């Protein structure tokens, strides 16, 4: 039993569990699992420090800016994720102090900045416009996913993906135990004060964080295995997870919930392309930098800082180019006759692409 909490969990069962949990999260809380929208709200606090009136920025009229982190579903859910990640890392004895070089830190920051820009231009990240966005049957998520894959494929040809490596000092066992206690204690304090949907969001977040950390779920790593090493198992597992999520969301929609559908704009593809390049340059996606930051990786922290800065820049500049996004229709595949079949065909096509890339010969 002790090994269950200390050893790494298999990737495929973890992403399937995350997909199923995200469906229940949607059904219970009423929104899909997403993180970069909340990071953009954190960026609003930075903009306020520089005298920007964020209430006048159009981007925040889209994603909302009411309340503080303890009053927003996404904010509380992310706090739960960090609690779960810190607890999992501590119990596994993975907490250490990773000190990257200045060049690695700069690359992490730049990659995070590009990923933050791309995520918010794409109105989602590897979650809201990929793993949990595609099961919502929103066409924009397919635009984002296709462009992200292209961006990652191009980036893997030109960049090394080892930017997070550095001199690592493993934390002593007592410190790991103390951090695990702090994670559980922090979760308990939040749970005591939160009610209704906020409490549920915290619990789901802790589960998401625990599973991500134990399974070391990172989309960048999964597609590095695919594009660089021609190993397709993890990428295939992500496609199956989206298929399972699609079935679950389809049931939720027939029970009366409303899908999250966004503009099917070419601008979404621009965001996806930037995001794909950014997460390769950074060496990790949103899930990846979050769980690694809880392991003491300073490079991962810099990726997160870059994410917030990039998201803030999009919010600040959005009103100048918003028509290139919002003047397009919001398209949900279920609006079409045979929409469910179309979703299945698209997922089958994505699986076929993954299978084909995995079978292609590696370059010496």
């Amino acid at each position: 039993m002790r090994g269950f909490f200390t050893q790494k969990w298999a990737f495929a069962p973890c992403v399937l569990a995350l997909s199923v949990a995200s469906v229940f999260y949607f059904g219970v809380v009423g929104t899909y699992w997403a993180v970069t929208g909340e990071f953009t709200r954190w960026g609003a606090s930075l903009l306020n420090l520089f005298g920007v009136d964020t209430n006048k920025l159009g981007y925040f009229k889209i994603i909302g800016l009411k309340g503080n982190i303890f009053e927003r579903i996404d904010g509380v859910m992310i706090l739960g994720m960090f609690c779960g990640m810190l607890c999992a890392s501590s119990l596994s004895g993975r907490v250490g102090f990773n000190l990257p070089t200045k060049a690695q830190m700069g690359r992490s920051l730049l990659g995070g900045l590009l990923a933050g820009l791309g995520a918010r231009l794409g109105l989602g990240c590897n979650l809201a416009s990929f793993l949990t966005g595609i099961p919502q049957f929103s066409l924009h998520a397919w635009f984002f996913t296709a462009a992200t894959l292209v961006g990652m494929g191009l980036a893997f040809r030109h960049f090394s993906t080892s930017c997070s490596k550095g001199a690592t000092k493993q934390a002593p066992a007592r410190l790991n135990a103390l951090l695990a206690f702090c994670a559980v204690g922090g979760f308990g304090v939040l749970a005591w004060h939160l009610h209704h949907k906020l409490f549920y969001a915290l619990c789901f977040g802790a589960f998401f964080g625990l599973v991500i950390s134990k399974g070391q779920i990172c989309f960048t790593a999964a597609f590095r295995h695919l594009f660089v090493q021609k190993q397709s198992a993890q990428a295939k597992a992500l496609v199956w997870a989206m298929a399972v999520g699609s079935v679950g969301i389809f049931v939720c929609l027939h029970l009366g919930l409303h899908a999250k559908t966004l503009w099917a704009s070419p601008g979404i593809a621009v965001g996806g392309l930037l995001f794909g390049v950014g997460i390769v340059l950074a060496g990790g996606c949103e899930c990846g930098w979050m769980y690694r930051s809880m392991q003491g990786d300073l490079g991962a922290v810099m990726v997160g800082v870059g994410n917030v800065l990039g998201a803030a820049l999009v919010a600040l500049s959005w009103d100048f180019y918003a028509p290139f996004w919002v003047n397009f229709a919001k398209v949900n595949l279920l609006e079409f006759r045979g929409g469910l079949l179309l979703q299945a065909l698209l997922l089958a096509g994505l699986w076929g692409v993954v299978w084909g890339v995995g079978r292609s010969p590696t370059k010496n």
Side-chain angles (χ1 to χ4, degrees):
M1 185 67 178
R2 183 174 179 273
F4 179 78
F5 291 103
T6 57
Q7 296 176 1
K8 180 180 179 295
W9 295 350
F11 184 92
C14 284
V15 293
L16 289 172
L18 289 171
S19 182
V20 171
S22 71
V23 172
F24 282 97
Y25 180 76
F26 176 68
V28 172
V29 179
T31 188
Y32 59 3
W33 177 27
V35 294
T36 54
E38 182 62 22
F39 295 158
T40 314
R41 299 181 188 103
W42 297 0
S45 300
L46 293 177
L47 294 175
N48 287 332
L49 291 177
F50 288 95
V52 177
D53 186 356
T54 51
N55 291 319
K56 294 182 179 180
L57 297 180
Y59 201 86
F60 291 113
K61 294 177 182 177
I62 296 174
I63 68 171
L65 192 58
K66 292 183 179 180
N68 58 48
I69 189 173
F70 300 104
E71 299 170 332
R72 295 190 294 258
I73 287 176
D74 286 349
V76 169
M77 186 275 297
I78 289 175
L79 290 177
M81 286 181 68
F82 280 127
C83 287
M85 289 170 175
L86 181 58
C87 183
S89 298
S90 302
L91 291 175
S92 301
R94 291 184 175 274
V95 176
F97 301 99
N98 191 325
L99 304 174
T101 65
K102 290 182 180 179
Q104 291 168 338
M105 292 277 283
R107 177 175 158 170
S108 295
L109 181 62
L110 178 59
L113 182 71
L114 286 175
L117 286 167
R120 295 327 302 162
L121 289 174
L123 300 174
C125 60
N126 53 285
L127 296 178
S129 288
F130 196 103
L131 182 66
T132 58
I134 283 179
Q136 293 284 331
F137 298 90
S138 181
L139 182 60
H140 94 281
W142 281 105
F143 286 2
F144 183 89
T145 296
T148 297
L149 293 177
V150 171
M152 284 192 291
L154 292 173
F156 279 128
R157 291 185 179 183
H158 298 95
F159 300 114
S160 166
T161 58
S162 59
C163 68
S164 63
K165 290 183 179 179
T168 304
K169 288 186 177 181
Q170 200 67 25
R174 289 185 179 180
L175 180 57
N176 274 288
L178 176 61
L179 291 173
F181 176 80
C182 290
V184 174
F187 174 85
V189 171
L190 288 170
W192 180 264
H193 289 91
L194 297 174
H195 304 285
H196 305 300
K197 287 186 177 181
L198 290 175
F199 172 76
Y200 301 140
L202 177 72
C203 294
F204 274 105
F207 178 80
F208 292 146
L210 180 73
V211 175
I212 287 171
S213 185
K214 293 300 300 178
Q216 297 179 31
I217 307 301
C218 178
F219 288 54
T220 311
F223 285 100
R224 180 176 67 244
H225 292 322
L226 177 66
F227 286 114
V228 179
Q229 302 169 0
K230 306 305 179 183
Q231 298 173 3
S232 60
Q234 292 189 358
K236 286 179 180 177
L238 290 171
V239 178
W240 280 113
M242 288 187 284
V244 170
S246 296
V247 174
I249 295 300
F250 183 76
V251 172
C252 289
L253 299 181
H254 276 267
L255 292 175
L257 276 73
H258 299 285
K260 184 78 170 180
T261 308
L262 296 171
W263 301 281
S265 158
I268 298 294
V270 174
L273 193 66
L274 285 173
F275 182 76
V277 173
I279 60 176
V280 172
L281 191 62
C285 64
E286 311 306 309
C287 297
W289 80 254
M290 288 177 71
Y291 88 75
R292 291 187 187 112
S293 68
M294 293 294 99
Q295 293 178 353
D297 188 336
L298 189 56
V301 174
M302 295 305 294
V303 176
V305 171
N307 272 188
V308 174
L309 292 176
L313 287 174
V314 171
L316 185 62
S317 59
W318 174 257
D319 293 325
F320 293 102
Y321 47 79
F324 293 102
W325 271 255
V326 300
N327 285 348
F328 287 82
K330 294 181 177 181
V331 180
N332 191 286
L333 297 182
L334 293 180
E335 296 171 356
F336 299 100
R337 189 178 222 178
L340 187 61
L341 176 60
L342 178 58
Q343 176 86 335
L345 291 174
L346 287 170
L347 286 167
L350 180 57
W351 193 93
V353 169
V354 169
W355 178 81
V357 173
R359 284 180 58 87
S360 62
T362 57
K363 292 183 179 181
N364 295 326

